[in-house]
Amino acid sequence: MKKYVLILLIIIIAGCAKIREKIVLYPKLEKKPLLCGILIPYEPRYRSLGEDMRDGVLLGLDGIKANVYDTDADPIQAIEAVRKAIFKDRVTCIIGPLFSNTAIPVACVSQLAGVPMLSPTATEEKLPSIGEYIYKLYSPLDVEEIALARYIMKDIKPYDIAILASDDSYGRRIARKFKEEIGLLGGKIVHVFYYTPGSSNLRENMLSLRDTNTDAIFVSASESDIPAIASQFAYYEVLGSSTIIFGMEDWGYPRVVGEYVGYLPCVIFTSFSDFGKYPEFEKAFNHRFGRAPTDVAFMGYAAAKLITRAVKNGINDRRSLQFWLSDNDTIQPLSGIALSKEELFSYVKIFEVKKGNIKPLN
């Protein structure tokens, strides 16, 4: 694995050397209407996601010119695509790529070339740290585990906390962010356990959790896994009468609540007040493209609306766009979406389930 990482770094460095040469050749671009470059994968496995982001961006750009480039979900192809966009087509900005593995090398090229890049969907938290030209959109989904950790340490103050999370990239990322925030706030995560998603036999996890004797368990699980986890908590007598289960939005779905309410004494979960309630966007997307939009399409649309707002403020070149984005990181192009995470914590709501009753806690 290390060998492949080294090869990728060498390729990026080589590409960057060529980029530096071209920067000398093209120190300034003439004033012209803003042109956006959209980087998505047409690779068959991810084509539908790529098309969703592309169409969301095109809808949000509202007539602003854009070229679409194929990353093929491959870092090397992504470098070639962004070089074409920047040096041949002279785009003003980049929206995308879809995934972190392609967003990182594209961000390196964009930063060296001085071209603003706005990622609406990449999950890599450190992406903006690559440089001043690199931006990432955040939604309440990006801060829910942090908001929950803050609530726990402020209002619950448990002695110690265990974590049970799905053994996949999503579950591990959520568990890591939650653990880091609890630690920053002076809390203690005593154990972290991972389960196989979709598994109905969690005996080893349950026995290990029971032995920890913790007074709080954070469970990062999908809607489909929650009923089995809840029933096995009860079967293996993992929870005491005062043990609290903490989770995220999936724990609040009515069907899920109905399936676990008889097994668990108390569940506290996050949800969102306004995120996802955009009927005008859904109607416009469906009318133009003949299908219902996904979350990926929505985030692409939000990124494009931010660029549209910049254009309405007279922005039409790379450097002024970079200044504008940096000066307006608290602007929400759509309610609950921003370049700054701190703007979004108020959108995360905390709810409690006891004996089948759901009530807000904040």
Side-chain angles (χ1 to χ4, degrees), residues 38-101:
I38 306 171
L39 268 64
I40 58 165
Y42 282 133
E43 199 275 341
R45 288 176 298 171
Y46 307 115
R47 187 181 183 94
S48 62
L49 288 174
E51 290 175 343
D52 283 343
M53 192 177 87
R54 176 201 66 195
D55 293 345
V57 172
L58 292 174
L59 182 64
L61 287 177
D62 194 25
I64 294 173
K65 290 185 178 180
N67 292 345
V68 181
Y69 304 88
D70 179 18
T71 67
D72 200 39
D74 175 75
I76 297 173
Q77 175 63 27
I79 292 173
E80 291 302 314
V82 74
R83 286 176 57 194
K84 180 178 186 297
I86 291 174
F87 299 115
K88 182 178 179 182
D89 299 337
R90 314 287 185 86
V91 299
T92 314
C93 63
I94 298 291
I95 295 181
L98 186 67
F99 301 118
S100 293
N101 73 319

Side-chain angles (χ1 to χ4, degrees), residues 11-206:
I11 292 170
I12 293 174
I13 292 170
C16 290
K18 293 183 180 180
I19 289 165
R20 287 186 180 279
E21 293 175 6
K22 292 195 175 187
I23 290 172
V24 174
L25 293 174
Y26 308 119
K28 287 185 179 180
L29 295 177
E30 67 277 8
K31 294 284 184 180
K32 62 179 183 178
L34 187 144
L35 175 64
C36 181
I38 306 171
L39 268 64
I40 58 165
Y42 282 133
E43 199 275 341
R45 288 176 298 171
Y46 307 115
R47 187 181 183 94
S48 62
L49 288 174
E51 290 175 343
D52 283 343
M53 192 177 87
R54 176 201 66 195
D55 293 345
V57 172
L58 292 174
L59 182 64
L61 287 177
D62 194 25
I64 294 173
K65 290 185 178 180
N67 292 345
V68 181
Y69 304 88
D70 179 18
T71 67
D72 200 39
D74 175 75
I76 297 173
Q77 175 63 27
I79 292 173
E80 291 302 314
V82 74
R83 286 176 57 194
K84 180 178 186 297
I86 291 174
F87 299 115
K88 182 178 179 182
D89 299 337
R90 314 287 185 86
V91 299
T92 314
C93 63
I94 298 291
I95 295 181
L98 186 67
F99 301 118
S100 293
N101 73 319
T102 48
I104 292 170
V106 167
C108 293
V109 175
S110 298
Q111 174 63 29
L112 284 171
V115 177
M117 171 188 145
L118 175 55
S119 172
T121 56
T123 58
E124 174 53 60
E125 291 289 320
K126 297 179 182 178
L127 188 66
S129 68
I130 289 175
E132 60 184 354
Y133 283 87
I134 310 304
Y135 301 89
K136 174 174 162 31
L137 270 189
Y138 296 96
S139 78
L141 290 168
D142 293 302
V143 300
E144 59 176 336
E145 59 277 278
I146 298 175
L148 182 61
R150 292 181 181 183
Y151 173 81
I152 290 170
M153 296 308 299
K154 178 178 180 293
D155 294 300
I156 306 296
K157 298 183 176 69
Y159 175 71
D160 50 33
I161 307 169
I163 295 176
L164 176 65
S166 56
D167 192 9
D168 52 25
S169 59
Y170 174 77
R172 288 185 173 274
R173 179 173 61 85
I174 295 296
R176 174 180 54 80
K177 290 170 66 178
F178 180 81
K179 182 179 180 181
E180 287 174 355
E181 189 67 18
I182 289 290
L184 289 172
L185 297 171
K188 180 182 179 184
I189 300 294
V190 291
H191 293 285
V192 180
F193 302 102
Y194 294 97
Y195 74 92
T196 302
S199 174
S200 59
N201 182 4
L202 305 177
R203 181 177 184 276
E204 295 302 321
N205 294 118
M206 294 299 156

Side-chain angles (χ1 to χ4, degrees), residues 220-236:
S220 173
S222 67
E223 176 186 359
S224 59
D225 288 341
I226 288 173
I229 291 172
S231 64
Q232 292 188 57
F233 272 139
Y235 181 80
Y236 290 102

Side-chain angles (χ1 to χ4, degrees), residues 270-287:
T270 61
S271 189
F272 311 120
S273 57
D274 298 314
F275 181 65
K277 299 177 181 177
Y278 300 96
E280 291 183 3
F281 159 69
E282 293 176 3
K283 182 179 179 180
F285 189 94
N286 195 302
H287 176 75

Side-chain angles (χ1 to χ4, degrees), residues 193 203-214 217 233 235-239:
F193 302 102
R203 181 177 184 276
E204 295 302 321
N205 294 118
M206 294 299 156
L207 294 178
S208 297
L209 279 167
R210 188 174 68 186
D211 290 343
T212 62
N213 196 31
T214 57
I217 304 173
F233 272 139
Y235 181 80
Y236 290 102
E237 299 180 339
V238 175
L239 311 179

